[in-house]
Amino acid sequence: MSNPKKESFDMSDFDSSLPAAAAALSAEDRAGLVNALKDLAGHHTDVMETLSPEVRKRVEALKEIQSQHDELEAMFLEERAALAAKYQKQYEPLYTKRFEIVNGIVEVEGVTDVSVEQGEDKANEGKGVPDFWVTAMRTNEILSEEITDRDEEALKYLKDIKWCKIDSSKGFKLEFFFDTNPFFKNSVLTKTYHMIDDDDEPILEKAIGTQIEWYPGKCLTQKVLKKKPKKGAKNAKPIIKTEKCESFFNFFSPPEVPDDDADIDEDEAEELQNLMEQDYDIGSTIRDKLIPHAVSWYTGEAAEGNELDMVDDEDDDEDDDDEEDEDEDEDENDDDDDEDEEEVKNKKPSGPKKITRAQVAGGQEGERPPECKQQ
């Protein structure tokens, strides 16, 4: 048998692999043959050339219809982007009101101003909605996996999260606004996603984070390891090492994309791609789910909705699996029928053996398991 066709060939030592008849050709003829084989290996047959004139005309008509569809689709995407931008502006005043209530800047109707009765200091402690953003983030399954117990104390100082589009690309920027806190100096931490505009959908080019200015001994992305010196060592001081550890704040130090000419093997490239996909998943979750529906995540309603969707999906999968298992059981029983019919031929005729649906289902209808019997 001949080898299956490949999309590309290594032509570096093609001359030595030519058959004997080709090897007997002149150098010029051999070069022509090699080039012809290269052309055959590098190009696929044009489908249109293989069609009859009638079918070709029909396909041309279909291509014209496709062209009209593509124009409409481009108009749809353009109008959708404009519509999204229009409503994004209308969301902003609502986000501002949310910020003011969460951080105690304004009070809602019906709540008594306690500053007169308890004094200004105690009143400030009871204002707003404490731990609003960290609670909302903890309720989201994707974000919760990134947040450690140590992170929670720092995230309690989170006042607001915003996002905006980047004019230069289809990317976006996230902004995290923090109150004065004992962990780092920054009042705003940002994360920016730069996208490449592809024909089908935007592709992540790179992500840029923020250099966090940690206070001494407060860095949450590193842990300090102290190792006791060996007995008898001249230097009796413990050896101190720092090691990277899990933290939500690693989100602001995204994986770096190497230069085009950087030497990177296949395994490293795959790992980098997985890290970038995970990083983008976190960013898009904050943009698309957390920011628009923060109070629903705070109360847990959004999480309950997600769980219901997941249960429905699992039920659908189980139903599909049950149908497949049932079909397999029926096929097996059909085979048993054939075997039984062959046996009947060699025995006294007693009528064909009939397999009931209850038997196919493992006796669920014909015989109920003891723990399921009606009392």
Side-chain angles (χ1 to χ4, degrees):
M1 291 178 64
S2 60
N3 291 330
K5 292 182 180 179
K6 297 181 180 178
E7 292 184 1
S8 60
F9 292 85
D10 184 5
M11 308 300 288
S12 59
D13 58 347
F14 197 87
D15 288 348
S16 61
S17 62
L18 287 171
L25 298 173
S26 65
E28 183 178 354
D29 290 337
R30 289 175 63 195
L33 177 59
V34 170
N35 290 331
L37 289 171
K38 284 182 180 180
D39 291 337
L40 288 173
H43 297 87
H44 294 288
T45 305
D46 189 352
V47 175
M48 297 295 288
E49 293 179 0
T50 65
L51 303 176
S52 65
E54 293 80 6
V55 175
R56 191 181 307 171
K57 288 181 180 179
R58 294 170 191 143
V59 174
E60 289 291 351
L62 294 175
K63 290 174 68 177
E64 177 60 29
I65 294 173
Q66 182 65 52
S67 178
Q68 295 174 19
H69 173 277
D70 293 344
E71 290 178 7
L72 287 174
E73 186 177 30
M75 292 171 59
F76 160 71
L77 294 174
E78 185 177 350
E79 291 181 16
R80 185 178 68 175
L83 191 64
K86 171 188 172 182
Y87 280 93
Q88 187 63 32
K89 289 182 180 179
Q90 296 184 32
Y91 295 150
E92 289 303 324
L94 303 179
Y95 294 154
T96 300
K97 289 181 180 179
R98 180 177 68 187
F99 168 80
E100 292 173 345
I101 293 174
V102 166
N103 293 282
I105 298 173
V106 298
E107 190 57 272
V108 298
E109 186 178 352
V111 177
T112 306
D113 187 358
V114 296
S115 59
V116 178
E117 300 176 3
Q118 298 182 359
E120 197 67 33
D121 293 337
K122 289 188 176 181
N124 288 334
E125 293 178 4
K127 283 187 174 182
V129 183
D131 307 339
F132 178 81
W133 285 103
V134 66
T135 303
M137 294 171 71
R138 269 294 199 186
T139 310
N140 181 276
E141 185 178 8
I142 292 176
L143 302 180
S144 180
E145 291 179 356
E146 306 299 319
I147 299 173
T148 67
D149 293 339
R150 298 172 66 212
D151 293 333
E152 280 198 30
E153 289 303 314
L155 289 173
K156 287 180 180 180
Y157 293 91
L158 182 57
K159 299 192 299 182
D160 201 10
I161 308 177
K162 295 182 179 181
W163 80 273
C164 61
K165 284 189 174 182
I166 301 174
D167 295 334
S168 59
S169 71
K170 291 189 176 181
F172 62 95
K173 180 170 74 171
L174 297 170
E175 296 177 303
F176 297 73
F177 296 86
F178 284 86
D179 203 350
T180 303
N181 64 82
F183 293 91
F184 47 82
K185 297 178 182 179
N186 314 62
S187 60
V188 183
L189 300 179
T190 63
K191 180 69 170 288
T192 307
Y193 290 93
H194 293 270
M195 314 296 288
I196 299 173
D197 193 5
D198 191 47
D199 293 337
D200 297 328
E201 58 183 13
I203 299 174
L204 178 62
E205 179 186 16
K206 61 181 177 180
I208 300 176
T210 303
Q211 181 69 40
I212 302 178
E213 301 177 56
W214 298 101
Y215 288 119
K218 294 293 185 177
C219 180
L220 298 173
T221 60
Q222 292 183 342
K223 58 183 178 181
V224 179
L225 302 176
K226 292 184 179 181
K227 188 177 180 181
K228 292 182 179 181
K230 295 181 179 180
K231 291 183 178 180
K234 294 181 180 179
N235 188 2
K237 294 182 179 180
I239 301 172
I240 300 176
K241 293 173 62 178
T242 58
E243 188 177 279
K244 188 174 180 179
C245 63
E246 293 183 356
S247 170
F248 171 78
F249 291 93
N250 287 322
F251 176 68
F252 299 100
S253 301
E256 295 182 4
V257 180
D259 298 331
D260 293 337
D261 55 351
D263 186 16
I264 181 171
D265 60 34
E266 187 176 344
D267 292 338
E268 290 175 335
E270 184 177 357
E271 182 181 0
L272 176 61
Q273 182 177 356
N274 291 336
L275 289 173
M276 291 181 68
E277 288 177 356
Q278 182 182 2
D279 180 78
Y280 183 79
D281 194 22
I282 296 170
S284 59
T285 296
I286 294 172
R287 179 194 63 181
D288 300 334
K289 295 186 177 182
L290 181 67
I291 293 176
H293 310 289
V295 69
S296 297
W297 289 105
Y298 176 82
T299 60
E301 294 170 275
E304 291 173 3
N306 270 10
E307 289 174 1
L308 289 174
D309 291 340
M310 291 175 63
V311 168
D312 289 340
D313 292 340
E314 289 175 0
D315 288 343
D316 291 340
D317 293 339
E318 289 177 2
D319 290 340
D320 292 340
D321 292 341
D322 290 342
E323 289 177 4
E324 290 177 3
D325 293 340
E326 189 171 296
D327 290 340
E328 290 177 2
D329 291 341
E330 288 178 351
D331 291 339
E332 290 176 1
N333 285 313
D334 288 341
D335 294 338
D336 292 340
D337 287 346
D338 294 338
E339 294 176 2
D340 292 335
E341 287 176 4
E342 291 179 2
E343 292 178 3
V344 166
K345 291 179 182 178
N346 299 325
K347 296 180 180 180
K348 293 181 181 180
S350 58
K353 184 178 180 181
K354 185 177 181 180
I355 306 296
T356 65
R357 189 172 184 82
Q359 289 172 314
V360 172
Q364 290 179 357
E365 292 180 13
E367 184 179 338
R368 187 183 298 271
E371 63 273 19
C372 297
K373 285 182 178 178
Q374 300 290 338
Q375 298 297 327

